[in-house]
Amino acid sequence: MAGSGTVGVLDVGCFSARLRCVNRAGAALEPVVNHKTRLRLDRSLDATGRLRGEGVDAVVSAVRSAAEVARRNGVTDVFGLATSSIRDARNAEEVRSRVRDETGIALRFLSGVQEAGLSYRAARAWFGAEAGPLAVLDIGGGTVELAAGCGMYAELARSLRLGARESTRRWRLDTDRPSGHALDALRDDAVERIRAAVGDEMPRLREFRTVGCSKVLRQLAVLAGRRRKGTKSRELHVEDVREWIPRLAALPPARRAELPGISRPRARQSLAGAVVAEALLTVFGGPVVTCPWSTTQGLLLALMDEGASEWVRSQAA
């Protein structure tokens, strides 16, 4: 039994609903409860951006299952976080209303800038103060989050609508034969928007250690990255990503899923993710070292901090 001294985050995203619960008195984020339900919300969005009925049903079922697991383990403090696949859906409020009415869990939204700050906090906790200044990159499905700083909290936080799923849709890369022109256009657009987002800060940020927190970057690092000497972590270099982009483009999604690191649910958007990653590394100078912690762990850290917890809860929509 986890008990009342436990706090949990239920992260409902495109591919899964995952409940992680940790003990407030714990020294590290070792889950005392860990429950996952697979989702495929990318298949349930219609042409207008609404989540169709089967997708809403799947979300309700996944949240109900997580709520039951939390209840059985005595966890009463669960923060329900809905990421961009629900947040950006045209019927987002309908989805939230059904989930709340049928499960008792209130799904909340954080802005992209707030998520960027939480990813930074997670990376800082993982690498520690001795890592020096950090620039943290997170490629999600709908957005890309950028954050940087020298201390515990991010001094710069940005969110751009350049996520792997969104870029796949916008540039029509959801085909077995993606257009080379579309790939070039996506890269040029991404580079321009990233440079505009960081502006005059770019020369300074190029001196920071660059950290990748997202599943997209971790999977790319397995596919194309290099093992860092003396550690279990991997580095992703811009020249390695560039080499893999045409190879990914030449393969249909089913064949991409056979490659090391590329999961079947994410195979269709892996090409766009690689192009956006290459744009990020081009602007930031790379290489990027991967981090296993991201927004969820940053949120857990904030919820474990009594002062920060109240602020996060008040800011969530």
Side-chain angles (χ1 to χ4, degrees), residues 210-223:
T210 307
V211 174
C213 282
S214 66
K215 182 65 72 68
V216 170
L217 288 166
R218 292 197 297 272
Q219 290 194 349
L220 275 174
V222 172
L223 175 67

Side-chain angles (χ1 to χ4, degrees), residues 287-311:
V288 61
V289 58
T290 55
C291 174
W293 285 3
S294 188
T295 304
T296 298
Q297 286 78 14
L299 180 53
L300 281 167
L301 287 166
L303 294 173
M304 292 168 71
D305 180 329
E306 192 168 320
S309 175
E310 292 306 313
W311 183 86

Side-chain angles (χ1 to χ4, degrees), residues 6-19:
T6 304
V7 62
V9 170
L10 174 58
D11 183 346
V12 185
C14 185
F15 299 113
S16 68
R18 186 158 195 165
L19 173 69

Side-chain angles (χ1 to χ4, degrees), residues 1-313:
M1 183 72 70
S4 59
T6 304
V7 62
V9 170
L10 174 58
D11 183 346
V12 185
C14 185
F15 299 113
S16 68
R18 186 158 195 165
L19 173 69
R20 292 182 178 91
C21 303
V22 298
N23 194 313
R24 283 191 173 92
L29 294 182
E30 291 292 336
V32 294
V33 178
N34 198 346
H35 174 80
K36 181 178 179 179
T37 301
R38 295 192 181 279
L39 296 170
R40 287 303 305 268
L41 300 186
D42 56 322
R43 296 176 174 174
S44 298
L45 283 169
D46 67 19
T48 70
R50 290 179 59 86
L51 197 60
R52 292 193 293 265
E54 68 271 18
V56 180
D57 291 343
V59 171
V60 171
S61 177
V63 174
R64 182 185 293 116
S65 175
E68 175 59 22
V69 169
R71 186 194 64 77
R72 288 202 308 266
N73 285 276
V75 181
T76 57
D77 187 1
V78 176
F79 188 106
L81 174 64
T83 55
S84 65
S85 54
I86 296 175
R87 183 183 67 212
D88 298 337
R90 292 189 62 185
N91 56 336
E93 289 306 321
E94 173 192 328
V95 177
R96 290 210 296 179
S97 178
R98 269 201 60 191
V99 168
R100 183 178 58 251
D101 292 347
E102 297 186 32
T103 72
I105 297 287
L107 292 181
R108 303 184 184 192
F109 299 147
L110 295 173
S111 71
V113 169
Q114 289 169 328
E115 290 186 1
L118 291 171
S119 289
Y120 175 88
R121 183 164 185 176
R124 174 57 69 192
W126 179 262
F127 286 102
E130 65 276 9
L134 299 180
V136 179
L137 315 179
D138 189 336
I139 304 175
T143 56
V144 165
E145 272 67 61
L146 315 173
C150 299
M152 180 64 71
Y153 301 101
E155 301 161 17
L156 175 148
R158 303 284 188 270
S159 181
L160 305 173
R161 197 153 182 79
L162 282 171
R165 184 188 68 250
E166 171 66 14
S167 295
T168 298
R169 182 199 64 79
R170 182 183 175 197
W171 297 100
R172 300 182 179 178
L173 301 180
D174 192 17
T175 67
D176 287 351
R177 293 181 177 275
S179 160
H181 174 74
L183 292 175
D184 291 342
L186 167 57
R187 182 197 182 276
D188 291 346
D189 179 67
V191 167
E192 181 180 349
R193 292 164 68 184
I194 295 162
R195 283 178 173 159
V198 295
D200 294 340
E201 292 290 317
M202 198 64 256
R204 185 171 73 100
L205 298 183
R206 275 179 165 258
E207 302 299 318
F208 288 18
R209 174 181 292 194
T210 307
V211 174
C213 282
S214 66
K215 182 65 72 68
V216 170
L217 288 166
R218 292 197 297 272
Q219 290 194 349
L220 275 174
V222 172
L223 175 67
R226 309 175 190 180
R227 181 79 69 177
R228 297 187 78 208
K229 291 182 179 180
T231 73
K232 294 182 179 180
S233 62
R234 291 177 180 266
E235 285 184 343
L236 192 60
H237 292 247
V238 66
E239 58 267 28
D240 297 328
V241 182
R242 284 178 185 150
E243 180 181 336
W244 267 99
I245 287 172
R247 297 165 71 178
L248 288 170
L251 295 174
R255 293 289 306 280
R256 293 179 206 157
E258 298 172 1
L259 297 171
I262 304 298
S263 65
R264 186 168 297 279
R266 297 175 185 270
R268 193 166 292 277
Q269 65 184 43
S270 62
L271 175 59
V275 175
V276 173
E278 191 271 337
L280 284 165
L281 290 174
T282 296
V283 175
F284 279 81
V288 61
V289 58
T290 55
C291 174
W293 285 3
S294 188
T295 304
T296 298
Q297 286 78 14
L299 180 53
L300 281 167
L301 287 166
L303 294 173
M304 292 168 71
D305 180 329
E306 192 168 320
S309 175
E310 292 306 313
W311 183 86
V312 169
R313 294 175 196 277

